[in-house]
Amino acid sequence: MSSFLKIAIRNLLKGPSTDPYPFGETFVPKGLRGKIKYNAKACVACRMCEHVCAGGAIQIREVADKSGLEFILWHNTCAFCGLCEHYCPTKAIRLTEDYHTAHKQEDKYRYVEKGFIKYVNCAQCGTPMVPIASELLNVAYDQVNKDIEKLRHLCPKCRQERALR
């Protein structure tokens, strides 16, 4: 019993050995996979993130007025595995070090990350298409010249026709 009292008194004098979270600053390890941040301007709607999502948390769908695509990520079902970030060719998805995911029960259906990818019209035929992000051109080409920049504003069919000429 005396050894227990020694330990109890030592711990009282030493203070708590845990982080003061949520009442104070806490240590965040480098490389922590926290909540996802989405950049709609860099997204090319390849849907790879939707395909590899372990929790089925990512959904990309066309909006009702057919003006573009809506990106929805449900934080409640995200497993924070990082597969979406790893496979995104343009790095439009990244995991932050923000681990604060507590929310009220009534907010569970609003706890989402949303984005909107507005369609642009093809410069040649006028067909609505997902804009080609400059991040994708930087991945695909060492140097982006004027000819490649012109192809960016063409739909896949018009790009193919131009390449055949």
Side-chain angles (χ1 to χ4, degrees), residues 98-158:
D98 182 10
Y99 57 88
H100 298 93
T101 57
H103 58 280
K104 294 179 182 177
Q105 179 67 15
E106 61 205 40
D107 293 335
K108 70 180 178 182
Y109 296 115
R110 287 176 275 208
Y111 196 56
V112 296
E113 178 81 21
K114 285 189 174 187
F116 182 71
I117 307 160
K118 185 172 174 39
Y119 287 147
V120 295
N121 292 329
C122 172
Q124 190 168 325
C125 69
T127 305
M129 66 175 205
V130 174
I132 298 174
S134 58
E135 287 85 352
L136 185 62
L137 292 177
N138 293 336
V139 169
Y141 302 101
D142 290 335
Q143 293 179 335
V144 178
N145 59 31
K146 291 177 192 172
D147 295 330
I148 294 169
E149 188 62 36
K150 287 178 188 174
L151 293 176
R152 179 178 176 199
H153 302 287
L154 299 177
C155 69
K157 186 179 177 186
C158 292

Side-chain angles (χ1 to χ4, degrees), residues 30-45:
K30 187 166 174 59
L32 175 80
R33 293 189 309 235
K35 290 192 318 192
I36 290 176
K37 202 74 180 147
Y38 174 71
N39 178 4
K41 290 182 179 174
C43 184
V44 292

Side-chain angles (χ1 to χ4, degrees), residues 47-53 56 58-61 71 84 93:
R47 290 188 157 99
M48 184 56 74
C49 56
E50 187 177 28
H51 178 70
V52 300
C53 183
I58 298 175
Q59 201 176 45
I60 297 175
R61 61 180 176 213
F71 173 91
C84 55
I93 295 177

